[in-house]
Amino acid sequence: MCSHRLRMKLYRALFIGRRATASQLAEQVDEAVSLVSYHLRKLAYAAVGRLSFDQHTELYRSFLDAYQSWSAECRGAAFRSEYLARLTAGELAELSREMHELVRRYEHVGQAGESEGRENVALHLYGFPFHA
Protein backbone atom coordinates (compact mmCIF):
# COMPACT_ATOMS: atom_id res chain seq x y z
CA MET A 1 0.00 0.00 0.00
CA CYS A 2 2.45 2.68 1.03
CA SER A 3 6.02 1.47 1.12
CA HIS A 4 7.23 5.04 0.69
CA ARG A 5 8.31 6.70 3.99
CA LEU A 6 6.58 9.98 3.14
CA ARG A 7 3.32 8.14 2.54
CA MET A 8 3.60 6.53 5.98
CA LYS A 9 4.13 9.97 7.54
CA LEU A 10 1.11 11.30 5.69
CA TYR A 11 -1.02 8.30 6.63
CA ARG A 12 -0.13 8.74 10.32
CA ALA A 13 -0.72 12.50 10.21
CA LEU A 14 -4.16 11.91 8.68
CA PHE A 15 -4.97 9.20 11.19
CA ILE A 16 -4.08 11.46 14.10
CA GLY A 17 -5.56 14.68 12.73
CA ARG A 18 -8.47 13.01 10.91
CA ARG A 19 -8.47 15.89 8.37
CA ALA A 20 -5.89 18.13 6.76
CA THR A 21 -5.24 19.95 3.54
CA ALA A 22 -2.22 19.12 1.40
CA SER A 23 -0.70 22.44 2.52
CA GLN A 24 -1.17 21.60 6.20
CA LEU A 25 0.34 18.17 5.71
CA ALA A 26 3.25 19.58 3.71
CA GLU A 27 4.05 21.86 6.62
CA GLN A 28 3.86 18.96 9.10
CA VAL A 29 6.20 16.71 7.11
CA ASP A 30 8.41 19.55 5.82
CA GLU A 31 7.91 18.73 2.14
CA ALA A 32 6.66 20.61 -0.93
CA VAL A 33 2.89 20.79 -1.36
CA SER A 34 3.16 19.34 -4.86
CA LEU A 35 5.06 16.30 -3.55
CA VAL A 36 2.55 15.79 -0.74
CA SER A 37 -0.36 16.09 -3.19
CA TYR A 38 1.23 13.46 -5.43
CA HIS A 39 1.64 11.00 -2.55
CA LEU A 40 -1.85 11.71 -1.24
CA ARG A 41 -3.22 10.70 -4.64
CA LYS A 42 -1.17 7.50 -4.49
CA LEU A 43 -2.52 6.77 -1.01
CA ALA A 44 -6.08 7.35 -2.17
CA TYR A 45 -5.52 5.09 -5.18
CA ALA A 46 -4.15 2.36 -2.94
CA ALA A 47 -7.26 2.52 -0.72
CA VAL A 48 -5.61 3.55 2.53
CA GLY A 49 -6.42 1.28 5.42
CA ARG A 50 -4.05 -1.62 5.07
CA LEU A 51 -0.42 -1.48 6.10
CA SER A 52 2.22 -3.79 4.70
CA PHE A 53 4.24 -6.10 6.94
CA ASP A 54 7.26 -3.79 6.50
CA GLN A 55 5.20 -0.85 7.72
CA HIS A 56 4.01 -2.79 10.76
CA THR A 57 7.65 -3.64 11.45
CA GLU A 58 8.65 0.03 11.14
CA LEU A 59 5.89 1.06 13.53
CA TYR A 60 6.96 -1.63 16.02
CA ARG A 61 10.59 -0.52 15.81
CA SER A 62 9.56 3.06 16.55
CA PHE A 63 7.69 1.70 19.60
CA LEU A 64 10.84 -0.05 20.80
CA ASP A 65 12.94 3.08 20.23
CA ALA A 66 10.53 5.36 22.11
CA TYR A 67 9.49 2.96 24.90
CA GLN A 68 11.99 4.18 27.51
CA SER A 69 10.97 7.82 27.03
CA TRP A 70 7.35 7.13 27.96
CA SER A 71 5.89 7.68 31.40
CA ALA A 72 5.89 4.73 33.79
CA GLU A 73 2.10 4.58 33.39
CA CYS A 74 2.34 4.23 29.59
CA ARG A 75 5.17 1.69 29.82
CA GLY A 76 3.06 -0.36 32.23
CA ALA A 77 0.02 -0.24 29.94
CA ALA A 78 1.82 -1.11 26.69
CA PHE A 79 2.04 -4.78 25.81
CA ARG A 80 3.44 -7.15 23.27
CA SER A 81 2.36 -10.74 23.17
CA GLU A 82 2.75 -13.84 21.08
CA TYR A 83 0.66 -16.93 21.45
CA LEU A 84 0.86 -20.26 19.71
CA ALA A 85 -2.24 -22.43 19.61
CA ARG A 86 -3.47 -25.51 17.79
CA LEU A 87 -6.84 -24.65 16.27
CA THR A 88 -9.15 -25.85 13.56
CA ALA A 89 -10.11 -23.42 10.80
CA GLY A 90 -13.48 -22.95 12.50
CA GLU A 91 -11.88 -22.20 15.86
CA LEU A 92 -9.51 -19.71 14.23
CA ALA A 93 -12.48 -17.99 12.57
CA GLU A 94 -14.30 -17.78 15.92
CA LEU A 95 -11.18 -16.37 17.63
CA SER A 96 -10.91 -13.77 14.87
CA ARG A 97 -14.54 -12.75 15.30
CA GLU A 98 -14.19 -12.42 19.07
CA MET A 99 -10.95 -10.43 18.82
CA HIS A 100 -12.49 -8.03 16.32
CA GLU A 101 -15.52 -7.51 18.58
CA LEU A 102 -13.24 -6.70 21.50
CA VAL A 103 -11.14 -4.22 19.51
CA ARG A 104 -14.26 -2.54 18.07
CA ARG A 105 -15.52 -1.87 21.62
CA TYR A 106 -12.32 0.04 22.36
CA GLU A 107 -12.43 1.87 19.02
CA HIS A 108 -15.83 3.26 20.03
CA VAL A 109 -14.45 4.35 23.42
CA GLY A 110 -11.63 6.18 21.64
CA GLN A 111 -14.06 7.99 19.37
CA ALA A 112 -15.86 9.45 22.36
CA GLY A 113 -13.80 12.60 21.98
CA GLU A 114 -10.65 14.17 23.21
CA SER A 115 -9.75 13.62 26.83
CA GLU A 116 -6.68 13.96 29.00
CA GLY A 117 -4.23 11.13 28.50
CA ARG A 118 -5.79 9.65 25.35
CA GLU A 119 -3.06 8.39 22.98
CA ASN A 120 -3.08 6.92 19.49
CA VAL A 121 -2.50 3.19 19.87
CA ALA A 122 -1.34 0.74 17.22
CA LEU A 123 -2.68 -2.77 17.72
CA HIS A 124 -1.56 -5.48 15.32
CA LEU A 125 -3.18 -8.90 15.39
CA TYR A 126 -2.36 -11.79 13.11
CA GLY A 127 -3.82 -15.24 13.21
CA PHE A 128 -2.69 -17.70 10.57
CA PRO A 129 -1.71 -21.33 10.16
CA PHE A 130 2.00 -22.04 9.85
CA HIS A 131 4.25 -25.03 9.51
CA ALA A 132 7.51 -25.26 11.42
Side-chain angles (χ1 to χ4, degrees):
M1 184 230 34
C2 52
S3 60
H4 195 279
R5 284 185 183 269
L6 177 56
R7 290 182 199 156
M8 276 306 301
K9 287 181 181 179
L10 295 171
Y11 175 81
R12 289 182 190 143
L14 285 168
F15 178 82
I16 292 167
R18 300 289 186 226
R19 290 189 164 163
T21 65
S23 297
Q24 291 166 331
L25 290 169
E27 188 174 313
Q28 287 181 40
V29 299
D30 195 29
E31 294 289 349
V33 174
S34 59
L35 183 63
V36 168
S37 292
Y38 169 81
H39 286 291
L40 286 173
R41 284 191 302 276
K42 292 294 184 182
L43 281 172
Y45 179 77
V48 173
R50 303 220 184 262
L51 298 177
S52 72
F53 181 77
D54 289 340
Q55 291 156 337
H56 286 282
T57 302
E58 179 185 332
L59 194 57
Y60 183 68
R61 283 187 186 133
S62 68
F63 152 70
L64 293 176
D65 291 343
Y67 182 78
Q68 291 303 320
S69 68
W70 296 347
S71 69
E73 182 181 25
C74 284
R75 284 194 312 271
F79 65 92
R80 45 193 166 199
S81 302
E82 182 175 326
Y83 304 96
L84 298 176
R86 292 184 51 80
L87 304 173
T88 65
E91 291 164 341
L92 180 57
E94 178 63 14
L95 175 61
S96 174
R97 186 190 62 71
E98 288 181 29
M99 297 286 284
H100 283 87
E101 285 177 5
L102 176 64
V103 171
R104 280 190 207 107
R105 283 200 324 254
Y106 283 89
E107 282 180 329
H108 292 300
V109 168
Q111 293 170 357
E114 294 300 315
S115 65
E116 183 82 21
R118 191 170 302 280
E119 299 281 350
N120 294 306
V121 173
L123 181 60
H124 304 257
L125 303 172
Y126 304 98
F128 54 89
F130 69 95
H131 300 276

